[in-house]
Amino acid sequence: MEATLFYILAAVAVIATLFAITEKHAVHAIVYLVTSFFALAVVFYLLGAPLVAVFEVIIYAGAIMVLFLFVIMMLDLGHPEKAARPGMGDWWPALVLGAVIAGAVVVLAASRPAAMTAGVSVIGVREFGRALFQKYGIAVEIISMQLLFALVGAFYLGRRRPSPPAPLPEGEGGRRPGEGGAAREEETV
Amino acid sequence: MKLYLALILLLPLLGGTINAIVGRKLPRRLTETLACGMVWGAFVCALLAFAAYRGPETVELASWLAAFDFRAPITLYLDSLSLVMVLMITFVCGLIHLYAVGYMADDPSYARFFALLNLFVFAMLVLVLAENLPLLYLGWEGVGFCSYALIGFWYREEKNATAGRKAFIVTRIGDTAFGIAIVWCFQLFQTVSISQINQMGFLMPVGVVTALGLLFLAGAMGKSAQLPLTVWLPDAMAGPTPVSALIHAATMVTAGVYLLARMFPLIGTSATVQAAIALTGGLTAFYAATCALAQRDLKRVLAYSTISQIGYMVLGVGCGAITAATFHLLVHAFFKALLFLGAGCVITALHHEQDIFRMGGLRTTLPRTFWPFLAGAICLAGIPLTGGFFSKDAILLAVWEKGGGLYGGLYLLGLLTALLTSIYTFRMVYLVFGGEGAHPHTLPRVMEWMLVPLALLGLFGGILNLPEYLGKGWLGEFLATAGVKVSHGEELVLQGIAALVALTGLSLARYRYGGARRAERLVEAEAEPTGVTAFLLNGWYLDNLYRILFIRPYEALSRFLWTRVDEGVIDDSLDRLADGLGRTGQGLGSWTNGRVSLYITSFAAGLALILGWLAWVVW
Amino acid sequence: MTVADLWTIMPLLLIACGSVLVLLLGAVVPGRYLTGVAVATCLGAALWALQVPAVAALPQLGVALTPLARLFTVVFALAASVTLLLSHDFNERRGIRGEEYPATILFALFGMSVLAAASTLLTLFLGLEALTFAFYILVAMDKGSDRGAEAGLKYLLLGAISAAFIAFGIALIYAATGTLEIVPAMAGAARGIAGVPLALAGWGLILAGAAFKMSLVPAHLWTPDVYQGGPPPVVAFLSTGSKGAAVLFLITLLRPAGLIPALHGPLWWLALLSMTVGNLAALRQQSIKRLLAYSSIAQMGYVTLALLTGSREGYGAAAFYVVLYTAMNLVAFGAVASLSGRDDLETIEEYRGLGYGRPFTAGVLALALFALAGIPPTGGFMGKFFIFAAALRGGEPLLAVLGILTAVVSVYFYLRVVVNLYLHSVTAEITANRPTSVEIVPLVVASLVIMLLGIYPGPLMAIIEAALF
Amino acid sequence: MIVPLVHVLILAAVLFALGLVCVLVWRSNVIMLLIGIEIMLNAAMLAFVGGAGHWGMADGQVFALMIMAMTSAEVSLALALVVYLHRRKKTVNVDEFNEMKG
C-alpha cells in the first residue's frame, strides 16, 4: 500500500516537475512546482521523516515559492509572450547532459545495491531534535550566521546607493530604511 | 675552511643586499667600495681556502630543505675543480667590478647595478660550490635571474627589455630539462647529493644514464648558449659592457661547462652522451665562428666568439678531457674579460659607436687600450705561446687522441674553426685599431688599468698547465684527472699544425684587412650588399678571385648561418611556436565568452563526463 | 558541550562574535574604525589558534581544531586581516562604506575556519557554503560599478549549482555509508577494490563541485569575469582564502581513504586541462586581472596534480602551495588594489613605467609575479618543486613533465607584465594611486613570506608534515 | 523502509537531472534558472531523507533541513541581486550580462 503510494507520488513529482520546467509562464511553473513539492513532502513522510515533510511544505512550498512569486510580480515578468523561450537548440544539449548524468547515477546506484536493513523504524521528532541540537548544534549556529548574512547582503543590495563616491558629510554611509523587500522572508526559518 | 667557504658566499650576498636596500641612500663612493670590497674579500677568502686546501671537503652550513624523506641541506663541496673556479670567478669579477666603477661613472642607477652585480657573483658562487643539485639549481636560476635583470632593466627601452626576456626564456628551456633531470635523479638515487650520485652511476642501466646525460646537456646548452639555444646570447649584448664581460667571460655561460664537468663521472659512462656533447660543442664552435666572420657590431663579434670558445670547452668535456676544458675555461675567462673590457673602452671612447667599420686609428690614439686588446686577440686567435694557444691545443689534442671517424671529423672541424677564429679576430683588430680615425675622448683611468692584469694572465696563462714536454702540467695534477697520454713528438706535431693554422688565419686577415686594403674594405662596407658586384667591375681581379674562391663562400655561408639559420630558422621557429601558443591561448580565452549559459553548460558537461566515466568504469 | 570544548573552538566563536559585533557597532561607530575591530578579531583568532593545543576530532561537536585546522585557521585569519587592511583605503577611494564589508569578510573567514575544523560532512558542507555565500555578497559590494553586480550574479548562479552538486554528492555518499562523520564515511566510500559504486557517484559529483570552487577546467569559466568584476581586495581574498579552503576541502575528503582508483582519470584530466588552458589563455591577455585569473586556474591545476598522487607527500606539497599561493596572490591583487584609484588599472599598458613612478608597489607586484612564475629564490619555485617532485615520485611522470612545460610557457606572460612595469612610460604623468601606509604594511609582510618560503621552507614543511601525520 | 533505497535514489537522480535541464535550458529567465537549482537541491534532500530512512539515523534528515535553510538564504540573496540588476539593465536574461569576456 505504502509502496504503491510512493510510486504514484514519485510519478506525480516527476511529471509536475516536467511541466514546471517546460512551462513558459513563470507563475504557472511555480504552481506546478508547488505540486511537485507537495508530492515530495508526502514522500518524505512515507520515508519516515515527518518533520522534514512539514518543513518542506512550510518553507519550500510556502515561503520560498512565495518569494519567487513575489519577485516575479515585482519585476512584472508575468507576460510570457514577451519573454524569449528556449528553442530546440537549447533543449538538445541540456537533455543529453541530463540523461547522461541521471543515467550514470542510476547505473552506479543500481550496480551493487546496498543490502536492505531490516525493520527500520520511523525517526521520531524527539530523536530528530536531539540530533539537530546536540550532535549538530554547531551546524545550527553556522546556518543562523548564514541567514543573518543573507539578510545583510540583501539589505545592502536593496539599499539605494547613498551617494556617488565623494566624501560623505556625516562620515558614515547613510543607513536609510532599506527597501530590500526581497530579503524579508527568511525569517520564517 | 668552513669559515672561508661561508665568507666566500656571504660577502657578495651581504654587499648585494645592502646595496639593494639602502644603496640609493649611501654616498656613491661607499656603494662602489662596498660592492668591490665584498668581491675582493671573497677573493681573499678563496686564496686562504686555496692555501688551506688539502683535499676534497664537504661542509654543511645549515639545513635548508627537508620534506618527508627529501633532504637538501646547504652543503658546500670544495674540490680542486670548484676551488679553481672560485678563484677565477672572484678574481675576474673583482676586476670587472672595479672596471664598472669607471664605466658606470655617469649613471644614476649605480646602486641597483652594483647590487645586481654582487648578487650575480653570489649566485655563480653558489652554483659552483653547491654539493647538491637543488642548491646548484638555486644558483643556476639566480644567475639567470640576475642576467635577466642586468641585460633587460638597464636601458629602459623596449628592445633591451625584450632582449632580457629572450635570454631568460631561451635559457629557461634548458633549465626545464635540467630541473627534470634533478627530480629524476632524486627518484632514481633517492639522494640529490652530487658526489653520491656520481658514485652511483654504475648502478643504473646505460639507457637511463644516457637520458639523464642528455637532459643535463640540454640544461648546459641553454645556459652556455650551445646549438640550438644560442640565440639569446648575441642579443644579450644590449646590457652594459661590464655585464657582457661578466656573463660572457667569468660566469653565466661557463656554468653549463661546469655542470657537465661536475656531472661527468655520472654521464661520462655513456658513450652516446659523450659523443652528443662533443658533437654539440664542435658544431657550435664552427657555427659561431662563421657567424662572427660577418658581424659588424664589435660586441656581437665577441659574443659569437664566446659561443665558439664555449663550444671548444664543451667539445673538450665531450672527449673526457676535463682538465683541458677547465684550462681553456680559465684562460678564456681572462682573455675574454679582457676583450670585452677593452671593447667597452673602445665603445666608450667613441661615443657609443659599435660598428667596427666606423672605427679606426685607435692604435695610436688609444694605445693603453690597444696593447692589452691585442694581447687578448692573440690569445683568442691561438697564436703560439699565448695561454689561448696552449689551452685550445690541449682540447684539440684530446679530440685527436679519441680517434675514430666522429672525433677525427671533429678534430678537422676544430682546426677549421681555429682558422676562422684567427681570421675574424684579426679582422676585428685591423678594422678597429688600424687606419686613421677621429680622436676619441679620454677614458677613466681605472677602466684601462683593469686590462693589464688580465692581459698578463691571458698571455702567460699557459704556465698553468704546460704541455708535458715543457714541464709539469700544474692544473692537470691539481685537478687529478687522467690526462691524455701522447708522445711528445706527436704533441709537438699537433701543436705545430695548430700554430700554422693560427698564423695562416693571421696572414689571411692581414692580407684582406691590413694596411691599405683596410680602406677598401671600409668603402666596400659602405655600399649595399649589391654593391659588391659593382666593385667587381673595378678590376680587382686577384682580390675577387680570392673572394670568389675563398672568402665569398665563407661570407655567404656565415651570413647564411647568421641570418637564415640563427635569425631565420632558430629564432623564427621559436617565434612561430610562441605565436602558435598565443593563438591557441586566445582561442581558449574566447571560451570565456561572457555568457553564463555557456559557463553552466561547460560545468555540467564536466560533471557529465566525470559521472559518465565513473559509470563506464564500474559497469 | 563542555567548557573544554568551548575552549578549543574559541577561534571560531571569536570570529563569529567579531563579525556580529562589527555589524552592531556599525550602527554607532563610523565605518572606518571598524576595520580595526575586524583586524583585531582576525589576529585574536589566529593567536588563539596558535596557542591552543591541537586536539583530535570530538565526535559530539562536529568541529575539532586538529593540527591541520589550526595551521589553516591561522593562514586564513592572516589572509583576512591582510585583505581588511588592503581594502581599508581602497574602499574609501571607491566609496564602499558601511559595516557590511568588514563583517562579511569576517563571515567568510568564519566559513573557512569552520571548513578547516570540520569533522562531519555537514559542517564541512556548511563551512564551504558559508564562505562562498560571503563572497557572493563581497563580489557585488562595489555598487559603483556595473561589473561588480554582474560578477556577483555569475558567481552566485554557478556557486548555487555547485552547491547542489556537492549536496547531492554528499547525499549519495551518505546513502552508501550511513554516516556523516568524515573519516568513517570516506573510508566506507573507498571500501572494496574500487570503492562502493554509489559512493563513487557521490565522489564524482563532489569532484565536479570542487572543480568549480577551485576553478578547474571546465568549471573555470566564471573565474576571469569574477576576478575582473570584483573589487581587487575582495578578489585577493577570493583567490586565496576560498581557493585554499576548496583545496583543504578536497584534502579533508581524500585523506581518510586515499584516492579511489576510478577517480584518478577525472582528476588527471582536470589537472592537465587546468594547467594548459590556464597558462595558454593567459598568454595574450591584456587585462591584468583576467591574466591573474587564468594564472590562478593554472596554479590550481598544479595543486590538483599534487593531490592526484594520493600520497602524504602530495597532500603536503598541495598544502604548502596553498599557503604560498595565498601570500603570492594577496601581494599581486593587493598591489593592483593599491595602484587602483577611482577606477581599476585595467590593461597591462596602464602599468607601463610604474616601476619608476611607484617603485614600492610595482616592486612587490614584480616579486609576486616572479613567484607565480616559479622563479627562485622566491617561494614559487619551492612550491612548484615540491609539487613536481611529489608528482614524479607518486608515479605521474607524464603529467609532471607536461606541467613543467606549461610552467615554462607561463613565464612569458608573467614577465610581460614585469617588463611593462619597468619600461619607460610613454605618458609622463602617472595616474596610479600612491600606496598608503595601511597598504604598505600588509604588502611588505606578505612579500616577506614569499621570500622566506623560498629561501627557508623547512619549518613550514615540518609543520605540515606533522599535521598530516 | 517501504521501498528499496535504490528506487528512492533513482527518483532523486531523475529529479536532479530535471533540475539541471531546467538550469541549462532557461538562460533567458534567471528566475527559472533559480527554480532549476531548487529542484536539484530538493533531489539532494530526497536522497538524504532516503538514506536516513535506510540507515535509521537522523543525520540525513538534519542535513536535509540544513539544505533547506541554506537554500532560503541563497535564494533571498539571489533574488535581491536579480532585483538589483533588473533595476539597472531591465532584463532577466542572464546572457545579456556579458560585459566581461575573453
Short mmCIF file of all heavy atoms in Angstrom, two decimals, chain A residues 132 135-145, chain C residues 61 120 122-123 126, chain D residues 62 66:
data_model
loop_
_atom_site.label_atom_id
_atom_site.label_comp_id
_atom_site.label_asym_id
_atom_site.label_seq_id
_atom_site.Cartn_x
_atom_site.Cartn_y
_atom_site.Cartn_z
N LEU A 132 19.62 17.23 15.98
CA LEU A 132 19.77 18.59 15.45
C LEU A 132 20.48 19.49 16.45
O LEU A 132 21.41 20.22 16.10
CB LEU A 132 18.39 19.15 15.09
CG LEU A 132 18.38 20.55 14.49
CD1 LEU A 132 19.17 20.58 13.21
CD2 LEU A 132 16.95 20.99 14.22
N LYS A 135 23.98 16.93 18.51
CA LYS A 135 25.08 16.48 17.67
C LYS A 135 25.49 17.56 16.67
O LYS A 135 26.68 17.76 16.40
CB LYS A 135 24.63 15.22 16.92
CG LYS A 135 25.77 14.41 16.37
CD LYS A 135 25.21 13.08 15.88
CE LYS A 135 26.27 12.30 15.13
NZ LYS A 135 25.65 11.12 14.51
N TYR A 136 24.49 18.25 16.14
CA TYR A 136 24.81 19.23 15.11
C TYR A 136 24.49 20.65 15.55
O TYR A 136 24.09 21.49 14.76
CB TYR A 136 24.06 18.89 13.82
CG TYR A 136 24.51 17.58 13.24
CD1 TYR A 136 23.70 16.45 13.30
CD2 TYR A 136 25.77 17.46 12.68
CE1 TYR A 136 24.13 15.24 12.79
CE2 TYR A 136 26.21 16.24 12.18
CZ TYR A 136 25.39 15.14 12.24
OH TYR A 136 25.84 13.96 11.74
N GLY A 137 24.69 20.87 16.83
CA GLY A 137 24.42 22.21 17.35
C GLY A 137 25.23 23.28 16.64
O GLY A 137 24.72 24.36 16.31
N ILE A 138 26.48 22.94 16.36
CA ILE A 138 27.34 23.90 15.67
C ILE A 138 26.76 24.25 14.31
O ILE A 138 26.76 25.40 13.88
CB ILE A 138 28.73 23.29 15.50
CG1 ILE A 138 29.38 23.09 16.86
CG2 ILE A 138 29.58 24.15 14.60
CD1 ILE A 138 30.22 24.22 17.33
N ALA A 139 26.23 23.21 13.63
CA ALA A 139 25.69 23.45 12.30
C ALA A 139 24.54 24.45 12.36
O ALA A 139 24.41 25.32 11.49
CB ALA A 139 25.21 22.13 11.70
N VAL A 140 23.72 24.34 13.40
CA VAL A 140 22.62 25.29 13.53
C VAL A 140 23.16 26.70 13.68
O VAL A 140 22.65 27.66 13.07
CB VAL A 140 21.74 24.90 14.73
CG1 VAL A 140 20.65 25.93 14.93
CG2 VAL A 140 21.16 23.53 14.53
N GLU A 141 24.25 26.81 14.45
CA GLU A 141 24.85 28.14 14.61
C GLU A 141 25.38 28.67 13.28
O GLU A 141 25.20 29.84 12.94
CB GLU A 141 26.02 28.06 15.61
CG GLU A 141 25.61 27.69 17.02
CD GLU A 141 24.55 28.65 17.55
OE1 GLU A 141 24.71 29.87 17.35
OE2 GLU A 141 23.56 28.16 18.13
N ILE A 142 26.01 27.78 12.52
CA ILE A 142 26.57 28.23 11.23
C ILE A 142 25.45 28.71 10.33
O ILE A 142 25.53 29.78 9.71
CB ILE A 142 27.34 27.09 10.55
CG1 ILE A 142 28.48 26.61 11.44
CG2 ILE A 142 27.89 27.53 9.22
CD1 ILE A 142 29.09 25.30 10.99
N ILE A 143 24.38 27.91 10.29
CA ILE A 143 23.30 28.28 9.37
C ILE A 143 22.62 29.56 9.84
O ILE A 143 22.19 30.38 9.03
CB ILE A 143 22.30 27.10 9.22
CG1 ILE A 143 21.74 27.10 7.82
CG2 ILE A 143 21.15 27.19 10.18
CD1 ILE A 143 22.65 26.58 6.80
N SER A 144 22.59 29.76 11.15
CA SER A 144 21.98 31.01 11.61
C SER A 144 22.84 32.20 11.19
O SER A 144 22.31 33.25 10.80
CB SER A 144 21.79 30.98 13.12
OG SER A 144 23.04 30.94 13.75
N MET A 145 24.15 32.03 11.25
CA MET A 145 25.03 33.09 10.76
C MET A 145 24.76 33.36 9.28
O MET A 145 24.71 34.50 8.83
CB MET A 145 26.49 32.67 10.90
CG MET A 145 27.06 32.73 12.28
SD MET A 145 27.45 34.40 12.76
CE MET A 145 28.89 34.74 11.78
N LEU C 61 30.82 17.30 18.55
CA LEU C 61 30.81 18.72 18.26
C LEU C 61 30.71 19.03 16.76
O LEU C 61 30.12 20.02 16.37
CB LEU C 61 32.12 19.32 18.79
CG LEU C 61 32.02 20.70 19.37
CD1 LEU C 61 30.92 20.77 20.41
CD2 LEU C 61 33.35 21.07 20.00
N THR C 120 32.60 16.60 10.46
CA THR C 120 31.50 15.88 9.82
C THR C 120 31.26 16.51 8.45
O THR C 120 31.62 17.67 8.21
CB THR C 120 30.19 15.97 10.61
OG1 THR C 120 29.72 17.31 10.58
CG2 THR C 120 30.37 15.54 12.05
N LEU C 122 28.53 17.44 7.33
CA LEU C 122 27.58 18.55 7.41
C LEU C 122 28.30 19.86 7.68
O LEU C 122 28.09 20.86 6.99
CB LEU C 122 26.54 18.26 8.51
CG LEU C 122 25.50 19.35 8.73
CD1 LEU C 122 24.79 19.69 7.44
CD2 LEU C 122 24.49 18.92 9.77
N THR C 123 29.16 19.86 8.68
CA THR C 123 29.88 21.11 8.98
C THR C 123 30.81 21.47 7.84
O THR C 123 30.97 22.66 7.52
CB THR C 123 30.67 20.98 10.29
OG1 THR C 123 31.19 19.67 10.38
CG2 THR C 123 29.81 21.27 11.48
N LEU C 126 28.58 23.03 5.24
CA LEU C 126 28.08 24.35 5.65
C LEU C 126 29.20 25.38 5.66
O LEU C 126 28.99 26.53 5.28
CB LEU C 126 27.43 24.26 7.02
CG LEU C 126 26.09 23.53 7.01
CD1 LEU C 126 25.51 23.48 8.41
CD2 LEU C 126 25.11 24.21 6.08
N VAL D 62 18.71 15.78 9.29
CA VAL D 62 19.26 17.07 9.72
C VAL D 62 19.91 17.77 8.54
O VAL D 62 19.72 18.97 8.33
CB VAL D 62 20.27 16.86 10.86
CG1 VAL D 62 20.97 18.16 11.20
CG2 VAL D 62 19.59 16.29 12.08
N MET D 66 19.10 21.39 6.88
CA MET D 66 20.13 22.42 6.70
C MET D 66 20.17 22.90 5.26
O MET D 66 20.37 24.08 4.98
CB MET D 66 21.50 21.84 7.08
CG MET D 66 21.64 21.59 8.55
SD MET D 66 21.53 23.12 9.45
CE MET D 66 21.22 22.50 11.07
#
